[in-house]
Amino acid sequence: MYPILNHLIAQNPETRSALAAHSGRRFELAAAGWRLCAVISEEGYLAAAQGDPEAVLRFRNSAVQKVLQGQTPGVGDIEVAGDHALGMALLPLIGGLRYHAAQDIRRLFGEAAAEQAQTAGRQIRSDWVDVKQGVFDSVSDYVRRHDDTLAVHRDTFAPFAEAVETLRDDAARLEARLKRLAR
């Protein structure tokens, strides 16, 4: 796991220099059942740590799910234990790591392949946005046309439910009067 994180750190030089400011500090990352205990080198890279971590960054399952869905985890999704100041300093650095695939493609296959991959990635991203928007528009249109049978907002439903309850009470009172009259 260290080589992967160090590769990401190398692709993000600003993060690497910010991590270097914390050289010698030990911390632990915990998420989805795995743990990584690391020490920060003078160059800003990570290595296996010996001893107890000074800070622990624990990403709850909700944080992992949000990241996988392309969302940003919230405050309740991450727990910082131990040296709180160190944990809070490291959290945005770790969270800010970005993978730049074009750099690896360029290094392995050359400039032309990297440019083609970036163009394909932009097209896929654009197509995905169009598909999501089309589905959203279709569902919204259907709901607007069929909102009386498909979905009713709580504010709209509450007066209706109250009116039904009143009607039930009135019907029960009428039935009781009719029974009395029949006697």
Side-chain angles (χ1 to χ4, degrees), residues 72-90:
T72 303
V75 174
D77 298 319
I78 300 166
E79 177 187 343
V80 178
D83 185 340
H84 201 268
L86 176 62
M88 293 307 285
L90 294 176

Side-chain angles (χ1 to χ4, degrees), residues 2-19 43-46 93-94 96-108 114 118:
Y2 297 103
I4 293 170
L5 286 172
N6 285 331
H7 184 74
L8 291 175
I9 290 168
Q11 287 189 336
N12 295 268
E14 302 84 18
T15 300
R16 187 175 60 78
S17 64
L19 282 169
E43 296 83 24
Y45 293 107
L46 305 181
L93 298 176
I94 301 297
L97 289 174
R98 298 290 177 260
Y99 176 62
H100 304 287
Q103 289 180 11
D104 287 338
I105 294 170
R106 186 174 293 110
R107 183 173 48 85
L108 295 171
Q118 283 181 315

